[in-house]
Amino acid sequence: MGGPEQLLASLGGSAAASDMRRYFSQRQLERAVLGGGVVRPRNGVYALASLDEAHRVALECRGVLFARSAALAHGLGVLERPRAVDVAVRRGTKIRAHPQANIVTRLLPEEDLVRVGVVTATSPVRTVLDCAAQLEFAEGLAVADSALRCGLVTGSQLTSAAEAWIGRNKRALRRVLAHMDGRAANPFESGLRAACLEAGVALEPQLRISTRGGTFVVDLGSALYRVTAEADSFEWHGGREALHRDCTRYNELVRDQWTVLRFSWEHVMFDRAWVGQVVADVIRGSKRHNSRGRNAKTVHSAA
């Protein structure tokens, strides 16, 4: 069977002290802790020292992973990782401050909880609703888009659960559910779309555009106004081949009378109001241009 570390690994990373003592003496367990491979996140529990930080903190707080930390545990994308681990404990539980945790009290029905590795987290549906209600619109939208994209939830599941929601910020929750879209390629793109929506502009994710130079898929676009908005990350566009491909795509779109707007991660993360205003102003300009074109045709026909 090996030592305490091997047993913990086979059990998923943590175990109750009573279970460990079935196989090892107290001295063997203490030796494993002194050796650095095993830790005691709280009384009555042993865990691998290599355990994921969020899992370890949740164990130490006697809580469940919540909001963005739960989203990450489920493999969902988030626009920004939480600086502290989001942990929820049941109402009425005595809370001790933890330097690495953001602890909240919540009603935590068993049907809203699932096991993720060695810890408990809110279910994917509950996680999406919590994020939508608690976080900024862009953050909540990124999690909801990701959950749909990964197939962990369906729109009908979220809508049904939202109808029974008894927490705060129901309006914010409904707003996210009204605009979530599983076609969004990543959280960065979701954040860009949120910035547009906050400025009153709805763009279609992953819009396919056919031009004389080929067919291209843009991050966000409007076929009506021939405007695209691209979420340009250095990681994705930094190579020579990627740069060449993107230059070709952008130029072909412009040649076909499309307006191409490009936004960096910094724009989306730190200046979303400006991003939304730029897109809205360009759309308004397109509307005026189209209106002038129609008026000119009407005058010419009358003449």
Side-chain angles (χ1 to χ4, degrees), residues 149-195:
R149 181 172 63 251
C150 295
L152 283 184
V153 302
T154 65
S156 59
Q157 285 177 320
L158 292 173
T159 301
S160 177
E163 291 176 355
W165 181 260
I166 59 175
R168 299 176 180 176
N169 304 324
K170 197 164 187 175
R171 181 179 297 180
L173 169 59
R174 287 173 173 169
R175 185 186 185 195
V176 169
L177 267 56
H179 294 290
M180 62 186 180
D181 196 317
R183 292 176 295 172
N186 52 59
F188 181 16
E189 185 181 303
S190 297
L192 175 56
R193 185 159 56 88

Side-chain angles (χ1 to χ4, degrees), residues 14-128:
S14 73
S18 57
D19 292 332
M20 295 297 290
R21 293 194 189 101
R22 294 179 184 176
Y23 304 98
F24 303 102
S25 67
Q26 186 63 37
R27 177 171 293 183
Q28 287 175 307
L29 293 173
E30 290 174 356
R31 188 178 299 122
V33 172
L34 289 173
V38 174
V39 296
R40 296 185 66 187
R42 68 170 191 260
N43 290 335
V45 174
Y46 287 95
L48 289 173
S50 58
L51 194 65
D52 179 85
E53 179 187 17
H55 291 192
R56 178 179 57 77
V57 171
L59 287 171
E60 291 173 350
C61 296
R62 298 177 183 268
V64 304
L65 293 177
F66 172 76
R68 282 180 294 182
S69 292
L72 290 169
H74 290 304
L76 302 180
V78 298
L79 191 56
E80 185 175 14
R81 296 181 70 91
R83 295 181 180 179
V85 180
D86 292 323
V87 177
V89 298
R90 296 184 189 278
R91 287 181 180 174
T93 302
K94 186 175 181 180
I95 299 176
R96 289 184 178 181
H98 191 291
Q100 295 172 288
N102 171 36
I103 306 175
V104 298
T105 57
R106 290 290 187 276
L107 288 173
L108 297 171
E110 289 300 323
E111 60 268 25
D112 286 348
L113 305 178
V114 295
R115 194 73 173 172
V116 180
V118 301
V119 297
T120 300
T122 51
S123 68
V125 168
R126 172 67 188 268
T127 298
V128 171

Side-chain angles (χ1 to χ4, degrees), residues 188-262:
F188 181 16
E189 185 181 303
S190 297
L192 175 56
R193 185 159 56 88
C196 297
L197 288 167
E198 287 175 329
V201 177
L203 298 181
E204 183 178 347
Q206 299 299 297
L207 179 64
R208 184 177 294 273
I209 301 172
S210 295
T211 71
R212 75 186 79 173
T215 299
F216 306 98
V217 177
V218 298
D219 293 339
L220 298 169
S222 168
L224 177 62
Y225 301 113
R226 301 182 78 81
V227 170
T228 75
E230 296 278 59
D232 280 350
S233 68
F234 182 78
E235 178 181 3
W236 181 254
H237 300 276
R240 181 177 294 277
E241 182 179 347
L243 176 63
H244 174 74
R245 180 184 64 240
D246 288 341
C247 286
T248 299
R249 179 163 62 112
Y250 295 146
N251 290 335
E252 288 292 353
L253 288 169
V254 172
R255 182 165 72 155
D256 206 43
Q257 306 302 308
W258 285 78
T259 299
V260 179
L261 301 173
R262 303 174 64 183

